[in-house]
């Protein structure tokens, strides 16, 4: 996904996030600007700036970024490398992989909502409705039924006949919970082989009477060598990407 595609998706999500937040009515003028009725201009600017501040977090929570970053942090803890790779590296890798996975969704949002909106064929509310469909379909694909049922109950909404009838207010938090669970499951599985190495090294050093030498000094290089030997990054990233296919 290019920067232009990410910007287009951001604009659509901005429209989606801002309208229910404060009940403004969005209309399209001849100059393609947005008229935000229902409040004074200074307050509208404050609200828009607030939404823009929260927009990155909203986008990240509606993409695979959460699962990817959680798994990468678990991997770093399992390797015992503390700050290597750095947080910036892991975040950047998660963003690039998320952009790759979300490219079909951003293209759908651009074609069905953003381009007709910019061409004046539909108004803001129609663009919001059309643009939310690809994002909601993506999140529904990976949200667990148990999490969806939880937020349907919390929102006091009647249980719909189909999952596609759920509002994005229910789907988004359910998707985040489902991604966190998936990330923790993968992270726990990653810990197992490295934990075996730690236990073997600790048992050997203890039996040899090397009590003054911390086992982590020996186990960390061994775990790194094991990870590099099996081409761990390729296997991990490949498995993560295939889990979204």
């Amino acid at each position: 996904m290019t920067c232009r595609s990410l910007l287009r998706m951001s604009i659509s999500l901005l429209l989606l996030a801002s309208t229910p937040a404060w009940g403004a009515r969005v209309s399209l003028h001849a100059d393609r600007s947005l008229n935000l009725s229902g409040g004074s201009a200074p307050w509208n600017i404050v609200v828009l700036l607030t939404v823009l501040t929260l927009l990155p977090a909203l986008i990240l929570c509606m993409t695979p970024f959460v699962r990817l970053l959680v798994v990468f942090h678990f991997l770093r803890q399992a390797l015992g490398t503390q700050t290597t790779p750095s947080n910036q590296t892991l975040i950047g890798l998660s963003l690039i992989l998320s952009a790759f996975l979300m490219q079909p969704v951003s293209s759908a949002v651009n074609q069905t909502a953003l381009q007709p909106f910019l061409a004046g064929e539909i108004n803001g509310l129609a663009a919001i409705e059309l643009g939310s469909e690809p994002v909601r379909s993506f999140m529904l694909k990976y949200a667990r039924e148990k999490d969806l049922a939880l937020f349907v109950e919390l929102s006091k909404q009647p249980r719909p006949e189909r999952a596609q009838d759920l509002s994005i207010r229910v789907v988004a938090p359910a998707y985040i919970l489902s991604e966190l669970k998936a990330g923790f499951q993968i992270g726990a599985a990653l810990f197992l082989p490295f934990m075996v190495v730690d236990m073997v090294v600790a048992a050997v050093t203890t039996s040899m009477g090397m009590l003054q030498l911390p086992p982590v000094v020996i186990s960390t290089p061994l775990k790194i060598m094991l990870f590099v030997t099996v081409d761990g990054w390729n296997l991990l990233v490949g498995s993560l990407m295939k889990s979204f296919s």
Side-chain angles (χ1 to χ4, degrees):
M1 181 169 59
T2 62
C3 295
R4 182 176 297 179
S5 300
L6 182 60
L7 178 60
R8 289 171 178 171
M9 184 177 178
S10 301
I11 294 174
S12 300
L13 289 176
L14 173 60
L15 291 173
L16 177 66
S18 61
T19 299
W22 45 290
R25 186 169 64 89
V26 184
S27 62
L28 184 67
H29 286 272
D31 59 354
R32 302 295 182 266
S33 62
L34 291 175
N35 178 26
L36 303 173
S37 60
S40 61
W43 280 110
N44 288 340
I45 294 174
V46 170
V47 173
L48 282 176
L49 290 177
T50 303
V51 173
L52 285 174
T53 303
L54 298 175
L55 185 60
L58 292 175
I59 294 177
L60 296 181
C61 289
M62 295 180 180
T63 64
F65 179 83
V66 174
R67 182 192 301 191
L68 296 173
L69 188 60
V70 168
V71 171
F72 291 148
H73 274 284
F74 269 110
L75 173 64
R76 187 173 66 180
Q77 293 296 322
L79 287 173
T81 54
Q82 302 302 322
T83 58
T84 304
S86 64
N87 290 333
Q88 291 83 353
T89 302
L90 295 182
I91 292 172
L93 178 59
S94 300
L95 282 173
I96 292 174
L97 295 179
S98 299
F100 181 86
L101 290 169
M102 292 298 293
Q103 194 276 331
V105 178
S106 64
S107 297
V109 171
N110 178 55
Q111 293 175 4
T112 60
L114 187 57
Q115 289 302 323
F117 173 74
L118 295 177
E121 300 174 1
I122 57 176
N123 59 21
L125 293 178
I128 293 170
E129 183 176 356
L130 292 174
S132 65
E133 285 304 318
V135 180
R136 179 168 55 184
S137 298
F138 174 83
M139 291 190 292
L140 273 175
K141 196 173 180 180
Y142 302 103
R144 297 190 308 160
E145 183 177 351
K146 183 177 181 180
D147 295 325
L148 291 171
L150 171 64
F151 284 98
V152 167
E153 179 182 355
L154 293 176
S155 63
K156 308 297 183 182
Q157 295 181 4
R159 188 180 182 90
E161 296 181 359
R162 303 182 308 160
Q164 288 74 14
D165 297 330
L166 290 171
S167 66
I168 202 166
R169 175 193 173 200
V170 172
V171 176
Y175 170 77
I176 297 172
L177 285 187
S178 301
E179 288 296 281
L180 286 173
K181 178 180 175 57
F184 272 75
Q185 286 177 331
I186 299 172
L190 278 175
F191 256 101
L192 293 178
F194 299 112
M195 185 175 63
V196 171
V197 175
D198 287 331
M199 294 175 63
V200 170
V201 170
V204 170
T205 55
T206 302
S207 63
M208 295 177 61
M210 303 170 61
L211 302 178
Q212 300 300 323
L213 180 65
V216 69
V217 175
I218 301 176
S219 64
T220 298
L222 290 177
K223 289 188 291 185
I224 295 175
M225 290 176 59
L226 173 63
F227 187 72
V228 173
T229 301
V230 300
D231 199 5
W233 284 111
N234 183 277
L235 292 174
L236 178 61
V237 172
S239 299
L240 286 172
M241 300 296 279
K242 290 177 182 178
S243 67
F244 287 98
S245 61

